[in-house]
Amino acid sequence: MDLEALKNSSALHPKPPGLALQYGTAGFRARAQQLDHIMFRMGLLAVLRSRAVAATVGVMVTASHNPEEDNGVKLVDPLGEMLHPSWEEYATQLANAEEEELQSVITEICQKAAVNQHKDASVFIGRDTRPSSEQLSQAVVDGISVLGGQYHDYGLVTTPQLHYLVCCQNTQGQYGRATLEGYYEKLSRAFTELMKQAPSSGEHQRHLKVDCANGIGALKLSEMEPYFPKEVLIHLYNDGTKEKLNHLCGADFVKVNQKAPRGLDLKPNERCCSFDGDADRIVYYYEDTSGHFHLIDGDKIATLISIFLKELLAKVGQSSALAVVQTAYANGSSTHYLQETLKVPVHCVKTGVKHLHHKAQEFDVGVYFEANGHGTVLFSKAAETKIRQLAKEEKDAEKRDAAKVLGNMIDLINQTVGDAVSDMLVIEAILALKGLSVQQWDAIYTDLPNRLLKVQVADRRAVGTADAERRAVSPAGLQEQIDALVKRHRLARAFVRPSGTEDVVRVYAEADTQEAADALAHEVALAVYHLAGGKGAPPQPI
Ligand code: 16G
Ligand code: ZN
């Protein structure tokens, strides 16, 4: 380590005095002006991580669905997973070190994580379309360079594309080529193969309206368009040429407000979807003839994919391979449908992609989705090998064809992380193959009415949870109160958890009617307010 060079370079990316940030559920997030030193230091950390694992790692500059003025950064591990939890703490330590401590913190991390400082380091960099992203990614480059790492800057990419590229690089091309062209070709080849099998529905062209949140999704979808089969017509809205990123549009806006994004004219019964700002989340929706808005969230996406895969897996003699992973936010109706009607095991884990991804790896075929639209499907090596072999060698035509469809699904799904583009193509292929309309998909089950609230408290850590966040273990008495309140409503369920991204406690409630869900959410919010040190005015009825 060239200490003089480190000192000089770091001085160009000074840490604002007193500022302390934490590597949270999805990396660092803050106002863009506060992040220059964080980016430089994450460049440093990426080099250390790359040396520790002797592989290429990724750095993505984005703040996802957050306002355009914000930014953030996430590290990507060699197989395209989120940064290993043991390194999240190093990230926080390095981010908050004062200038004069920087070198000793680096040395400490190297000791703790057995990093050989003489090894090669390789880092892939990507960024979203925020005005601040280009300069911030330059700070990442400075950090990488000063520690002697190599880098490849892919420039503007979606978050899932960067995950994919890192995985391709470290699997020596087995997962695909580490170029954007390689990504487009792999996905579109699989998609085209699947669409060839679709029964012609009389409708020769398939239209889909996509709200791109004024972000990177628009750019990348238009790059990909020439690769799509010509009967699939994707119409892009909120492409970033007119309005601000994520402003009144995008997957998060649509999910939270349960209404159409600005800038997309909904016609009755038209199939539409929204990406978020870095294109790793997707939700679908439509408006019926009476003007009623129908949201089709991550739970319904997981259900559609599970129904489809279950049928195919049964055909190839692997019906017990499938499991679904959800969080406590999953609508009770979805869990009920998956368990009772589809007879698929369902597992609940803590909020945050890394938890779902980790759990899904335990199964031959693990479908995971958060209700907010973040998710994918993971296939074990053994399951994939078996499917590929059947697709090639199986004599029974029906079984062989099912294996071929599964093989193409494996190629179409981005297994490194939830990917709005890949998920969209998976959904479009399933709807076409099954001849399902968006209304029929929506009608598979009816969501229980629900309500999400936030409560301001002095210290959100006062609320502790267990059992995948479904039970509160602190403050004392809170869970007992929630249990008593839930009992007063039908088909009711409620839980509370401290947010990982905002200084609030979140409350979720569902029940048989919207009035009951609203009342329950308010009652639980009041209980949190009184028992966990509420700030400001008490929560008001909805
Ligand atoms: C982050 C997570 C998302 C989760 C959300 C919960 C990733 C990539 N993103 O955005 O999965 O749903 O946090 O936020 O893991 P909350 O803790 O504020 O409710
Ligand atoms: Zn995102």
Side-chain angles (χ1 to χ4, degrees), residues 213-247:
N214 290 312
I216 186 75
L219 232 72
K220 298 297 138 180
L221 264 186
S222 38
E223 275 174 27
M224 196 173 184
E225 226 172 330
Y227 296 84
F228 289 145
K230 56 182 179 319
E231 65 274 19
V232 176
L233 292 173
I234 310 260
H235 307 278
L236 304 186
Y237 295 83
N238 296 326
D239 64 359
T241 53
K242 293 185 212 79
E243 295 281 345
K244 270 172 93 164
L245 179 69
N246 296 327
H247 182 58

Side-chain angles (χ1 to χ4, degrees), residues 29 62-65 74 159 276-281 374:
R29 292 272 159 89
T62 180
S64 186
H65 59 278
K74 295 193 262 204
T159 294
D276 75 338
D278 62 340
D280 63 355
R281 274 169 61 179
H374 199 140

Side-chain angles (χ1 to χ4, degrees), residues 516-532:
D518 288 352
L520 179 58
H522 175 242
E523 290 153 10
V524 172
L526 274 179
V528 171
Y529 181 85
H530 289 304
L531 291 175

